[in-house]
Amino acid sequence: MSKPQIAHSKRRSDQLQPLPAERALEWGWEAMHEGLWREAVQRWATLRLVYPDQGPVWIQAGVAHHQLDEYECAAGLLEQARLRFPDNPNGWIRGALVAADGGMTESAVMLMEQARYRFPNDIDVWLTSAEVLFRAGERARAEALNAEVCRRFPKQAAGGCQYAEFAMRDHRWQEALSRWTRVRAQFPEHRQAFLRAAEAAERLGCASEAKKLRMGASFGADWVKSLEQTDQRDTQIRPPVRRNLRAFADLVVTKARLNLKAEANQNHLRYLWWIIDPLLYMAVFYLVFGLLLQRGGDNYVIYLLTGLVPFQWFAKTVQHAAATIIQGRGLMNLVRVSPLFFPLVAVAQNTGKQIPVFIMLVVLLFACGFYPTVHWLALVPVVAIQLMLMAAIGCLTAMIIPFLRDLLNLVPTGLQFILFCSGVFYTVDTIPEQWHSYFFANPMANLLHQYRLILMEHQWPDWGMTCWLALACMAGLVLVALVYRRLESVFPRVVIE
Amino acid sequence: MSGDAIISLRDVGVRYKRRGGLFVPSRYYQALEGITFDLYRGETLGIVGRNGAGKSTLLRLIAGIIQPDSGQVINHGVTVSLLALQAGFDGELSGIDNAVISGMLLGYSRYQVESHLDEIAAFAELGDFMEEPVKTYSSGMRSRLGFAVAIHMSPDVLLLDEVLSVGDQSFRQKAEKAMMKKICSDQSVVFVSHSDEQINRISDRKICLDR
């Protein structure tokens, strides 16, 4: 039993060996870093008993006492430090600062003269010498010494910084600002030179200059210089308060064009589908009604297609436009754009896709012996009226759907109903005479009738009906545009609720 | 803060409908309530607040995208834009096409975007990729293109919603430098950020939305 006890006591004596000085001093430094000055004083006192040959236990103890305004204790400890460690300039530096703050200016100045003699190559000695004089109120001598620091240590920023700090402490902000500028010119990456200069600029009331300097601390001198060199406005674009009609139309057309391009990019045959699709569509009708059923008499297929092609344009456009405001909820909440943009893009996009369909229809008319006449010129106003009609109805539907979303499910049925009420599959003669006025009150039925008059009957359209329709479409468009204007800021809320 | 107030908010409140329908009574979520402040010319105003505090709603109000349910937002005749990244982007279109439409949606004219295309391509560091469909881009590349388009916008009041965290580390620094350049000009800026450090460094004043 005894042997292990002896071994144990040996281990204990090993553990009681003093720690290496560097590690032990950390205990004192820790309190200093945390600003616990009283605690630091006590720790350094304890450490002095074990490590009296270490400079910091004397010097830092003096600093801690200094922080507690205990000048006599501090001065005594620092005097000991100078005696014990004559090669350590901190004994003189700290001693001078304590003396200066304790009101013993002459003693402080004398200490620093000694220090400069002993440590002529130590920048801190020179900086403290200037500092002591500055605290003593001897500005001129302090600045002269500071100039000497700058001359002796040109590769260090501390001299210039002290010079600027002197101006800051005297509240000479303009002077300080220019001194900091000089520091930055020599030491462009000196972060403190930016931050302190920002403080000076703020004191001068130059908020924007202060902001620039604050950011310069993060981004460097080159960035600040680039601010002065480039005229931001040259490369910047100032958006208008509100787009004018021309810019809005350009935006709608460009978006529609790019949507068509994106749509084409999704397929291998790209734009070729714009021709294949209507060709197949017409071929199906020719096959079913022209060859298989052989009904409706001569030219029934042409009759059918001259109605179906414009109607499909209308139906696809309205169907597409109906959901556009809801689909545009993300964009609407990101940029300020009139909600009319969304349905109008659908109208423009479907119009672009319809052009090849009309071309195919004209080819078919040629093939079937319906050659163009002067009456075809009337297609221009008729197509324009259909465009206005689609825009009015498309925008109206798109406007209502965000408030009554369930209506979106009724749009296909509604279009189907209009299809059967528009005389696509039957002629006007099959409708009793007394119902004609009601039949033509349907704008699509009216328009299809005009198309057929021009393309098949080689007649001018019914100008009276056409004019009334044009006026009604225009009035509808204006009304819809006004309502949109009123609801402009309502839509972005409604679509996300 | 001295100077002219260019945008004033007076006791502004916004509420969103959360639930409701034909047979279900509506319930509302109060996103903002009793907000009053002025934005001054040349000022950088930071907005902080936790998620859902209404920061983005506040920017949309200032931008004029939405109107308040109560109170007033008074614009003293200045242009206001939210710096929207990747607005209107379409994956099927090339970088060039997306730059054009995105720029136009932000308020540029087509000519203005087209005349800045070289700068946009250079800033986004996309090179030949500008000709490729955006669907082939990485998310970082998309962000770079979006930022490169938007950075040219210079309204009287610029609204930034967490836009300084785009792309990789090096582009983020570049973006931040470019944005700070803008902030240091006479531009009035309102910006939202989750970074307190960023808000303190950049802004002249800050508003904390806390409920």
Side-chain angles (χ1 to χ4, degrees):
Chain A
M1 284 296 284
S2 62
K3 272 186 181 175
Q5 272 180 342
I6 291 164
H8 180 69
S9 70
K10 260 189 179 174
R11 273 206 305 275
R12 280 181 67 95
S13 71
D14 287 346
Q15 283 173 349
L16 286 172
Q17 289 295 317
L19 282 169
E22 266 182 29
R23 279 193 60 196
L25 295 189
E26 279 175 16
W27 189 47
W29 284 116
E30 204 175 277
M32 298 289 280
H33 290 320
E34 288 173 16
L36 305 169
W37 306 115
R38 182 59 65 202
E39 180 70 22
V41 162
Q42 286 165 2
R43 288 185 187 182
W44 290 122
T46 308
L47 288 165
R48 265 201 309 279
L49 296 173
V50 190
Y51 306 96
D53 55 342
Q54 292 294 318
V57 300
W58 300 93
I59 298 169
Q60 294 307 318
V63 172
H65 277 293
H66 185 187
Q67 291 292 338
L68 293 164
D69 294 337
E70 296 166 356
Y71 299 112
E72 268 184 44
C73 293
L77 283 161
L78 289 162
E79 193 176 352
Q80 278 294 316
R82 289 194 293 276
L83 290 171
R84 284 169 183 258
F85 311 100
D87 294 334
N88 189 337
N90 285 330
W92 276 266
I93 291 172
R94 295 294 176 181
L97 291 172
V98 168
D101 285 350
M104 295 175 289
T105 310
E106 277 180 25
S107 169
V109 172
M110 196 187 71
L111 273 173
M112 288 322 296
E113 273 172 11
Q114 287 173 11
R116 287 202 299 280
Y117 179 73
R118 281 168 174 269
F119 312 99
N121 296 321
D122 191 313
I123 187 170
D124 289 335
V125 167
W126 287 90
L127 288 169
T128 313
S129 301
E131 172 65 24
V132 163
L133 286 170
F134 186 86
R135 289 191 195 186
E138 297 196 38
R139 302 291 201 259
R141 281 181 68 197
E143 291 198 353
L145 261 178
N146 174 272
E148 186 62 19
V149 178
C150 297
R151 195 186 64 77
R152 280 174 179 256
F153 307 96
K155 290 186 177 168
Q156 296 192 50
C161 289
Q162 187 183 49
Y163 191 47
E165 287 293 352
F166 284 165
M168 296 281 281
R169 282 155 72 179
D170 281 342
H171 295 184
R172 289 178 287 141
W173 307 117
Q174 192 62 56
E175 182 63 29
L177 205 55
S178 68
R179 289 182 185 182
W180 284 121
T181 307
R182 283 205 288 278
V183 174
R184 288 200 309 277
Q186 212 180 340
F187 305 95
E189 303 309 317
H190 199 285
R191 200 175 143 78
Q192 201 61 17
F194 282 99
L195 294 174
R196 293 291 286 157
E199 214 175 306
E202 220 150 59
R203 298 286 191 141
L204 281 169
C206 306
S208 67
E209 181 68 13
K211 199 193 306 180
K212 210 181 286 181
L213 288 162
R214 263 201 315 272
M215 289 181 198
S218 304
F219 301 121
D222 287 344
W223 179 82
V224 176
K225 209 176 282 175
S226 74
L227 284 181
E228 288 147 15
Q229 283 166 354
T230 55
D231 184 1
Q232 289 261 320
R233 295 276 154 186
D234 281 353
T235 56
Q236 296 301 298
I237 301 170
R238 195 179 150 85
V241 177
R242 197 178 177 88
R243 282 182 190 84
N244 59 32
L245 197 62
R246 195 175 156 188
F248 182 70
D250 194 18
L251 175 65
V252 169
V253 171
T254 307
K255 180 64 180 157
R257 183 173 57 78
L258 292 176
N259 280 357
L260 288 172
K261 195 174 171 182
E263 208 176 302
N265 284 351
Q266 288 174 13
N267 304 308
H268 291 296
L269 295 178
R270 293 168 62 98
Y271 295 103
L272 215 55
W273 273 112
W274 294 10
I275 299 182
I276 296 171
D277 189 42
L279 257 181
L280 288 174
Y281 184 72
M282 289 182 192
V284 166
F285 277 93
Y286 182 73
L287 201 74
V288 176
F289 292 97
L291 297 179
L292 296 178
L293 299 178
Q294 290 191 339
R295 54 183 294 186
D298 290 344
N299 301 326
Y300 179 68
V301 175
I302 295 295
Y303 181 84
L304 195 63
L305 288 175
T306 47
L308 207 53
V309 166
F311 187 84
Q312 281 298 98
W313 180 23
F314 169 80
K316 281 183 180 174
T317 303
V318 173
Q319 173 93 49
H320 184 180
T324 48
I325 288 189
I326 290 188
Q327 286 162 354
R329 65 169 79 88
L331 192 57
M332 202 181 291
N333 277 284
L334 266 185
V335 294
R336 197 167 174 192
V337 60
S338 164
L340 268 175
F341 165 75
F342 300 97
L344 287 181
V345 166
V347 174
Q349 195 175 332
N350 282 286
T351 303
K353 275 175 89 174
Q354 195 63 23
I355 292 169
V357 186
F358 269 106
I359 293 170
M360 298 311 297
L361 179 66
V362 169
V363 171
L364 189 76
L365 285 166
F366 263 65
C368 296
F370 291 91
Y371 297 111
T373 60
V374 67
H375 306 100
W376 281 36
L377 288 174
L379 279 175
V380 176
V382 173
V383 168
I385 292 170
Q386 183 169 352
L387 254 177
M388 285 196 291
L389 177 72
M390 288 184 310
I393 294 184
C395 292
L396 182 72
T397 321
M399 181 179 81
I400 297 169
I401 299 289
F403 298 97
L404 297 163
R405 294 190 193 196
D406 298 31
L407 286 186
L408 193 57
N409 300 320
L410 297 178
V411 172
T413 318
L415 288 168
Q416 198 84 2
F417 177 70
I418 299 173
L419 170 73
F420 290 116
C421 294
S422 301
V424 174
F425 301 104
Y426 52 87
T427 56
V428 184
D429 314 335
T430 54
I431 302 169
E433 186 73 29
Q434 71 267 28
W435 294 104
H436 275 200
S437 56
Y438 294 107
F439 177 76
F440 285 120
N442 168 9
M444 267 322 285
N446 200 326
L447 274 174
L448 297 188
H449 178 65
Q450 311 306 335
Y451 274 115
R452 282 164 175 156
L453 281 177
I454 298 165
L455 296 172
M456 294 186 71
E457 310 289 329
H458 302 304
Q459 292 178 24
W460 292 110
D462 182 333
W463 292 115
M465 281 207 285
T466 314
C467 285
W468 276 114
L469 197 54
L471 282 174
C473 288
M474 269 190 260
L477 262 181
V478 170
L479 203 67
V480 165
L482 287 174
V483 178
Y484 263 85
R485 188 76 187 256
R486 280 196 76 87
L487 293 175
E488 193 172 312
S489 56
V490 176
F491 283 124
R493 298 273 299 275
V494 172
V495 290
I496 57 170
E497 281 174 351
Chain B
M1 192 78 195
S2 60
D4 315 325
I6 49 177
I7 300 224
S8 305
L9 274 76
R10 297 283 173 265
D11 201 22
V12 164
V14 173
R15 62 177 194 167
Y16 290 114
K17 194 157 95 174
R18 272 206 295 201
R19 285 177 60 189
L22 205 55
F23 306 107
V24 185
S26 298
R27 287 179 63 191
Y28 292 91
Y29 168 70
Q30 193 75 36
L32 290 172
E33 195 171 15
I35 304 287
T36 298
F37 68 86
D38 289 309
L39 175 72
Y40 298 95
R41 196 175 292 281
E43 181 186 25
T44 304
L45 182 68
I47 297 174
V48 284
R50 57 173 176 72
N51 285 340
K55 304 186 291 290
S56 300
T57 299
L58 182 58
L59 290 194
R60 290 212 296 271
L61 271 175
I62 300 172
I65 292 172
I66 58 171
Q67 292 294 315
D69 290 304
S70 58
Q72 267 185 302
V73 178
I74 307 157
N75 182 326
H76 300 278
V78 288
T79 55
V80 190
S81 292
L82 184 65
L83 192 125
L85 304 185
Q86 303 178 38
F89 267 28
D90 187 327
E92 294 293 339
L93 296 172
S94 68
I96 293 174
D97 287 337
N98 274 301
V100 169
I101 195 63
S102 187
M104 288 179 78
L105 282 165
L106 288 174
Y108 311 166
S109 70
R110 190 145 51 87
Y111 170 76
Q112 283 173 324
V113 197
E114 284 170 354
S115 61
H116 280 77
L117 273 177
D118 288 342
E119 288 163 51
I120 290 169
F123 192 92
E125 301 165 8
L126 286 172
D128 293 340
F129 262 95
M130 283 297 280
E131 310 278 350
E132 300 297 320
V134 162
K135 68 180 176 190
T136 62
Y137 288 15
S138 67
S139 63
M141 289 161 84
R142 282 176 75 113
S143 306
R144 267 156 40 198
L145 179 60
F147 192 88
V149 173
I151 191 68
H152 289 95
M153 184 163 64
S154 193
D156 294 324
V157 181
L158 186 64
L159 310 175
L160 310 176
D161 193 352
E162 288 284 358
V163 293
L164 295 177
S165 47
V166 292
D168 54 22
Q169 179 70 24
S170 72
F171 187 79
R172 203 173 305 152
Q173 276 180 359
K174 183 175 169 180
E176 202 181 9
K177 274 188 182 180
M179 189 53 73
M180 294 311 146
K181 225 176 197 180
K182 196 177 272 292
I183 288 175
C184 281
S185 63
D186 290 336
Q187 184 93 66
S188 305
V189 178
V190 181
F191 85 102
V192 162
S193 172
H194 281 112
S195 160
D196 269 352
E197 187 274 328
Q198 202 173 50
I199 292 265
N200 291 335
R201 183 159 49 96
I202 299 169
S203 50
D204 301 313
R205 271 193 310 155
K206 70 174 178 181
I207 290 174
C208 184
L209 295 178
D210 217 355
R211 283 176 299 124

